[in-house]
Each structure stands twice: as structure tokens, then as C-alpha cells.
Amino acid sequence: MSAIATALPAGPAAPGTVVQAAAGTDVGNPAVNLSIFAAFVAVTLFVVLRASRQNKSAADFYAGGRSFTGPQNGTAIAGDYLSAASFLGICGAIAINGYDGFLYSIGFLVAWLVALLLVAELLRNTGKFTMADVLSFRLRERPVRMAAALATLLVVFFYLLAQMAGAGGLVALLLGVDSAAGISAVITVVGVLMILYVLVGGMKGTTWVQIIKAVLLIAGAAVMTIWVLSKFGFNLSALLQGAVDAAGEGGQSLLEPGRQYGATGLSKLSFLSLALALVLGTAGLPHVLMRFYTVPTAKEARRSVVWAIWLIGIFYLFTLVLGYGAGALVGPETINAAPGGVNSAAPLLAFALGGEILLGIIAAVAFATILAVVAGLTITAAASFSHDIYANVIKKGRVNPDAEVRIARWTVVVIGLVAIGGGVLAQKQNVAFLVALAFAVAASANLPTIVYSLFWKRFNTAGALWSIYGGLISCIVLIVFSPVVSGSETAMIPGADFDWFPLTNPGLVSIPLGFLLGIVGTLVSSEPPHPEKFAEMEVRSLTGAGAERATASH
Amino acid sequence: MAELAEPARSAGETDYQRVERSPEFQDLRRRFRSFVFPLTALFLVWYFVYVLLANYAHDFMSIRLGGSAITVGLLFGLGQFVSTFVITMLYARWANQRFDAQADALRREIEGDDL
């Protein structure tokens, strides 16, 4: 997602320019934005409180009692997946970089086929709450759980930080707040609300927040899409030409690939690397995997993914129109000059179309988006810590479910505080590389072990550990030594110069490495095979025999 | 599970291993893999063909269609959406109509046997 890398506020701008820009594009009315957002919070809190009445067991807290229907869960998946970076970032990337921005949405969508065909149903049939449940089914439990939980926590942490810092960037534009203290206050409010949702509502409350948010986001985008198209006589070609004309000199390249990534051979390789991470990352994202446990059967897991693919695909088609629409109706210069930079393309387009009311709605939806995604990430991390690390590694499974859920609730508070702190610190950082890194870690550390443990009889504990730790470490090392961290003016540490790895995304190296290490680790290990465990896993994964049952009804 | 028990039970074999060796399960697995694996290969290859074309065939992807602002690249991109939707529908239909009945029958036999 590093379209957004260059898009999101990359570093501290000179203070004078920020104020000037804010005054220059003083769009919308913070009071309207705030009251619409408050209405969303009120409605969702009410729903969360209602949903929480039956929250008793661990299956209720982690998996919403496994009682959501496929369409409900599919909508929640879309709500979980379409983060602020998807909505604001892709619209902005298309408005400024044209075709290259479109490539992201394609990677994000096609990735769902991996989840649909290879992972969702088999995972639902063999696991309980987390990704580690599936891996520890036939591998040595404690080391594998520990490794999988660490990978989960790391992916969630990067993703969480990106969302929280993104929230800060949004505030500048949407609420007219541009002091560091004001932005920190808003990040704190987002964090506290999220802790409240997750503590009170558990997975059930979180799921309802995601469903409500997905409906609002997709409906809002649909209205804007039709509105934009109506301005161009429902002629896509006229809309594209409008964006080209508004961009002035060089506008032609908006319609061609390579405006952002075509500069050099290395930037093209970076793009290839990103494309690989995007398409293989989704099916390894822990908060996505955990959603498959909230439905009663594998068939419902399948239905959820089918719903999610339709909703996500249609939404990304909307963003294509909205991005070029923002380019044509607002213009790249105005977008770049706005306080939120490229991320402000969609809100500015809303203002150009429907004035402050539509801007207020879109602004509130964007906040709701962050809130819902952050809540989903938090409950995933809490489950991973309390279920995998506390209950099964530290207590070796000798812990009652109530104590486990109590630990999970405490973890939610801790993660909420970490997210607030991280969000405040990462405010002016280039945040999107964190999301790209999360996808790369998911694709290199999580996906190989999931696929091998489901399909490869010979796979063993050593293979899993080599693959998880190898994928994890190679990702982080390559990012640290990439141009994202040092060696250029837009890097995190602009002064330093240790960027010996030339690509901005590690996927091209770390993903094949993760898969390869899984094979090598398996073959060099002397661990005896467990054909009886694999037989049980294979039979259960395909037939659904012995799968976890629903514990609650709506 | 009388008809599943046909392969003679060897010493130390678990019930799940017995099911795994049964022709019913072997057939189920073969049908699953022979549907899902080629489809996965197909959409991955098609995705990377698209990414590589966008990366390395700039001029081809920039060709405009009949004087409009629609480029070949845009059509290829929209083609990814179409193929994703089509594969989703094909898989869901296959799984609902063909796979589920067979898997459910086997599951009922296994659970009826109280493994």
C-alpha cells in the first residue's frame, strides 16, 4: 500500500505552510462533522450494548458465539478490510497518480480468491479462535503457538499504528484541528472509544460496528459515484478526459501505467514486490482469518467470503470513479495543497459535490472506518495473546475459559493504550509503509505455514518455525535497510544512509524465502512424522467433522 | 461406518486414518484438489500477467480505444474485477451443488460413528 506511502503526510511540513494551506482550503463545518460522527458513536454504542448481553463464554467473546450468518459476516469482513487507507488512500492515489493507484485496489481484491479457495473453509473446520489453532493441530503446540502469536501481534501492531496515525492525519482536514495537541486528543478519543467497544461488546459488538460502518461507507461511496458520473453524462471516457484536462501538462499519463512506479527499473521491481505482498498477504492477515470463526459452519464461511468479494470489488470500482472524479472536479493542485494532502481527495470531492453536509457524512464515515478497523485488530491481538500465549504457552492449557477471557479483556486495555501512544508518536510519520509491511509479514510468515499445514503431509514443527521466524525476520531486516527508512529525503530517518536493499517493499525476497524455509526446515528436521494427526486434520478440514459449533443465536 | 470400514484395519491405525484411506474420502479430496488447485494457478498467473504488462509493456497498456480516454490497461484492470467475480461464482456454485453433499454425507457417517 505504498501508493499511499508517498500519499500520506510523509514528514513534518514547515509550520507556516500547514497553517496557510489550512486557511486556504477551509472547507466544511467542524460542528456538522462532529455531530454526524457523534450520532454514529451513539448508534453503534447502543447496538454494542444490546449485543453484549449474551457475552458469556470464550466463544462469545472471541468469536461472537459463532452465530453470524454468511452475509452478516461478509459485510463485517468488508468493514474490517476497507480501512481508511483503502478509502482515502486509494481515492487520493488515483486522483494524483491515476492508473497506478488503480493497481492497488486490484491486488487487494484478487487476494480474496486465495482466502476463498484455499483457506477460509478449511480453517473454519479445523480451528477454534486463532490462526495458531490450525497450526498447532498437528505440530508441536507450544513453540508453534508462540511463533504464530508473535507474528500475529506484529502484523496487528503495524496495521494498528498505521490506522491510528492515519486518524491523526484526517483530523487536520476534517475537524480543522492542526495542532499536535489537538490531533493527539482526537487519537486518544478514538482509542478510548475502541477500548470501550471491544471490552463491552467483544467480537459480537465489534462485528456489528463493522457491519454498520461497511453499509455507511459503501452507501456513501455509491451516492458519490452516481453523483460524479451524472456530471459527465454517465460517460466514463468523458470523466477520464476531465481528469486529464484538469491535471494540465502531462495529464495524459494519468491514464497510463507507470506515473508513480515507472521511473526506473528498481521502482518497477518495487511495484512487483508490492503486488506479490498484496495478493498473498490478505489470506494471512490474522484479523481477517479470525472473522472466519464467527460463523457456524464452513458453508457460511464460504458465503461470507463470497459476500465480501462482491462488496469489496464493487467498492473498489466506486473508488476508481471517485479518484478520477476528484482529479477532474477538485484538481490535483487543490488536493496536494490541502492539509491532509492526497488523503483529502475524497472529502474534498464530497464538499465539491454536496457541500458541508455531504462532507460531514463522508468525514464521519471515515472516522467510523478507523474505529471499526482498529476494534477488529484489537480483538485479534487480545485473542492471540490470551488464547495462544497465556492459556496455551504459559499455562499449558490448564486455565479455565473465564480466566482466559479476563486476560483477553486486560490485553484489550493494554493494546488500546499502546495504540494511542503509538498513534501519537507516529503522527507525522510515513504511515503507509507500515500497512505494506503488515501485508508483507502476513504473506511471508503466516501464509506459507497455513498452506503447508493444510496441504502438505510431511510438514513439521521445524518447517513452521523456520518459515514463520524466517519470513518475519527477513521482512523486518529488509525494511530497516530499505529506502523507506533511510537514504532519501522522504525517508523516516532522512539524515542517515544505510539503505543497501533497494526495494521499498520486502515481499519479492521475503515471501519466496518464507515458502522455501518451510520446505528446508521440514526436510532437515529429524522429527518423526505424525500421519495420524494429519489424517485427522485432513478429514476434518474437508468434511467439517468435529468442527466447533455455534454457541449462541441472534 | 460399515461401508467405510472396507480397507482392513491395520494395527495402531486411528479411525481418522481409516476414513482417510477410504475410497469415499480419497474421491472427495481428489475432486476438491482438482477443482481448486488449477483455478488458483489460473487466477495467479492472470494477475501476474496483468502486473507485468502494466510494469513492462507501458506503450501497449497506454493504447487508447477508438479516440476515447479508455486505455487497454484500464480494460485489463477491469478484466481482473470480472475474472475475480466469475471465479467466485464458479467456485461457490461448484461447492454448493457438488462438493457439499458429498462432504456432508461423509461427515454424518464419521460423526454417527462417534469418533
Side-chain angles (χ1 to χ4, degrees):
Chain A
M1 210 187 277
S2 51
I4 307 145
T6 41
L8 285 165
T17 55
V18 173
V19 176
Q20 224 172 18
T25 54
D26 196 9
V27 294
N29 179 340
V32 173
N33 297 352
L34 266 181
S35 45
I36 297 174
F37 180 58
F40 170 82
V41 171
V43 170
T44 45
L45 267 184
F46 174 73
V47 172
V48 166
L49 283 173
R50 275 184 57 108
S52 66
R53 282 195 212 136
Q54 316 167 313
N55 260 345
K56 293 187 184 69
S57 68
D60 290 333
F61 187 75
Y62 294 137
R66 311 193 194 283
S67 55
F68 285 97
T69 66
Q72 283 171 339
N73 189 39
T75 313
I77 289 175
D80 212 347
Y81 195 66
L82 300 173
S83 64
S86 274
F87 177 43
L88 304 175
I90 291 181
C91 282
I94 293 176
I96 302 296
N97 293 319
Y99 191 82
D100 277 10
F102 184 44
L103 288 160
Y104 288 93
S105 37
I106 291 169
F108 285 137
L109 176 68
V110 173
W112 276 97
L113 289 177
V114 182
L116 175 70
L117 297 177
L118 298 179
V119 178
E121 296 171 43
L122 308 182
L123 193 86
R124 173 63 188 82
N125 274 338
T126 43
K128 211 170 164 189
F129 302 129
T130 64
M131 175 188 99
D133 285 335
V134 175
L135 306 186
S136 58
F137 198 104
R138 70 189 181 93
L139 307 174
R140 272 195 297 130
E141 180 159 0
R142 293 180 69 201
V144 168
R145 261 197 205 278
M146 193 69 202
L150 284 179
T152 297
L153 289 173
L154 203 73
V155 171
V156 167
F157 178 72
F158 290 137
Y159 219 107
L160 202 57
L161 217 54
Q163 299 297 325
M164 295 301 277
L170 262 180
V171 177
L173 175 80
L174 302 177
L175 296 183
V177 181
D178 50 19
S179 69
I183 294 176
S184 304
V186 175
I187 289 178
T188 310
V189 169
V190 170
V192 169
L193 274 173
M194 172 276 286
I195 294 174
L196 196 66
Y197 282 143
V198 179
L199 273 191
V200 174
M203 185 52 120
K204 203 174 281 174
T206 303
T207 305
W208 280 112
V209 172
Q210 288 169 341
I211 290 174
I212 295 171
K213 169 239 147 157
V215 170
L216 288 176
L217 179 63
I218 294 170
V223 169
M224 283 175 68
T225 300
I226 293 170
W227 204 323
V228 166
L229 284 175
S230 74
K231 298 222 167 205
F232 293 91
F234 292 95
N235 180 343
L236 186 61
S237 174
L239 167 66
L240 299 178
Q241 196 55 50
V244 169
D245 294 343
E249 186 131 357
Q252 294 292 341
S253 64
L254 280 172
L255 306 178
E256 301 165 2
R259 187 170 161 110
Q260 186 185 5
Y261 283 99
T264 64
L266 278 177
S267 68
K268 287 179 179 178
L269 271 186
S270 281
F271 179 73
L272 197 59
S273 186
L274 180 74
L276 190 66
L278 294 185
V279 79
L280 297 180
T282 299
L285 286 177
H287 62 292
V288 164
L289 298 176
M290 196 169 166
R291 291 231 54 92
F292 299 141
Y293 296 123
T294 65
V295 292
T297 59
K299 192 178 165 71
E300 290 299 311
R302 176 193 314 146
R303 278 179 79 200
S304 12
V305 183
V306 170
W307 271 76
I309 287 177
W310 280 104
L311 292 173
I312 292 167
I314 289 168
F315 179 82
Y316 283 143
L317 288 174
F318 291 159
T319 60
L320 180 70
V321 173
L322 296 182
Y324 279 118
L329 298 173
V330 181
E333 278 180 31
T334 316
I335 294 171
N336 275 328
V342 172
N343 284 329
S344 57
L348 288 175
L349 176 65
F351 186 70
L353 291 172
E356 60 186 36
I357 298 291
L358 188 60
L359 173 67
I361 294 172
I362 295 304
V365 167
F367 273 108
T369 291
I370 291 176
L371 209 54
V373 174
V374 166
L377 289 166
T378 304
I379 198 159
T380 306
S384 181
F385 180 80
S386 70
H387 179 66
D388 294 328
I389 296 183
Y390 174 76
N392 286 302
V393 176
I394 298 178
K395 293 283 178 180
K396 300 176 188 167
R398 289 189 296 270
V399 58
N400 72 20
D402 290 346
E404 191 183 313
V405 171
R406 203 163 52 240
I407 294 291
R409 288 179 191 274
W410 277 109
T411 318
V412 169
V413 176
V414 172
I415 291 168
L417 294 178
V418 169
I420 293 172
V424 169
L425 289 178
Q427 243 179 69
K428 291 282 181 185
Q429 286 297 343
N430 176 340
V431 294
F433 94 92
L434 293 171
V435 175
L437 184 56
F439 269 79
V441 173
S444 3
N446 294 354
L447 190 68
T449 39
I450 293 173
V451 169
Y452 286 149
S453 63
L454 286 170
F455 295 105
W456 187 24
K457 193 171 196 163
R458 175 101 199 258
F459 190 55
N460 60 28
T461 310
L465 295 178
W466 281 45
S467 166
I468 293 178
Y469 288 122
L472 204 66
I473 292 166
S474 62
C475 264
I476 292 173
V477 167
L478 292 179
I479 271 284
V480 165
F481 294 104
S482 78
V484 176
V485 171
S486 75
S488 73
E489 280 173 23
T490 53
M492 283 179 78
I493 314 169
D497 191 12
F498 47 86
D499 58 325
W500 53 259
F501 182 69
L503 307 182
T504 54
N505 188 293
L508 199 58
V509 175
S510 65
I511 296 171
L513 193 68
F515 276 97
L516 189 71
L517 285 175
I519 297 174
V520 174
T522 299
L523 296 182
V524 300
S525 162
S526 56
E527 184 182 344
H530 299 285
E532 77 290 349
K533 293 261 188 68
F534 184 70
E536 181 177 353
M537 182 164 191
E538 192 169 42
V539 170
R540 281 182 52 172
S541 71
L542 281 177
T543 64
E548 297 281 329
R549 297 292 158 81
T551 61
S553 58
H554 286 283
Chain B
M1 211 187 320
E3 66 271 48
L4 278 182
E6 290 301 337
R9 178 187 270 258
S10 58
E13 196 182 50
T14 66
D15 288 336
Y16 276 117
Q17 280 175 299
R18 195 156 43 83
V19 176
E20 193 194 31
R21 277 202 300 130
S22 70
E24 287 89 343
F25 182 79
Q26 292 289 328
D27 182 53
L28 183 76
R29 183 176 64 182
R30 189 187 48 75
R31 289 176 62 167
F32 177 78
R33 293 192 171 191
S34 59
F35 189 85
V36 160
F37 287 176
L39 210 53
T40 304
L42 180 76
F43 82 75
L44 282 178
V45 166
W46 164 227
Y47 172 75
F48 281 104
V49 163
Y50 167 72
V51 168
L52 291 172
L53 279 177
N55 235 359
Y56 300 106
H58 174 268
D59 292 347
F60 169 69
M61 296 294 261
S62 305
I63 295 171
R64 292 191 174 209
L65 296 169
S68 73
I70 313 265
T71 57
V72 171
L74 188 71
L75 283 192
F76 265 81
L78 294 174
Q80 291 286 329
F81 280 78
V82 173
S83 63
T84 302
F85 291 145
V86 167
I87 288 174
T88 303
M89 286 191 295
L90 281 179
Y91 172 74
R93 211 177 64 166
W94 171 82
N96 291 335
Q97 294 181 354
R98 302 280 186 84
F99 184 77
D100 278 353
Q102 206 182 348
D104 285 346
L106 206 52
R107 176 179 58 81
R108 275 193 299 273
E109 284 180 46
I110 297 166
E111 291 183 343
D113 209 33
D114 278 334
L115 270 174

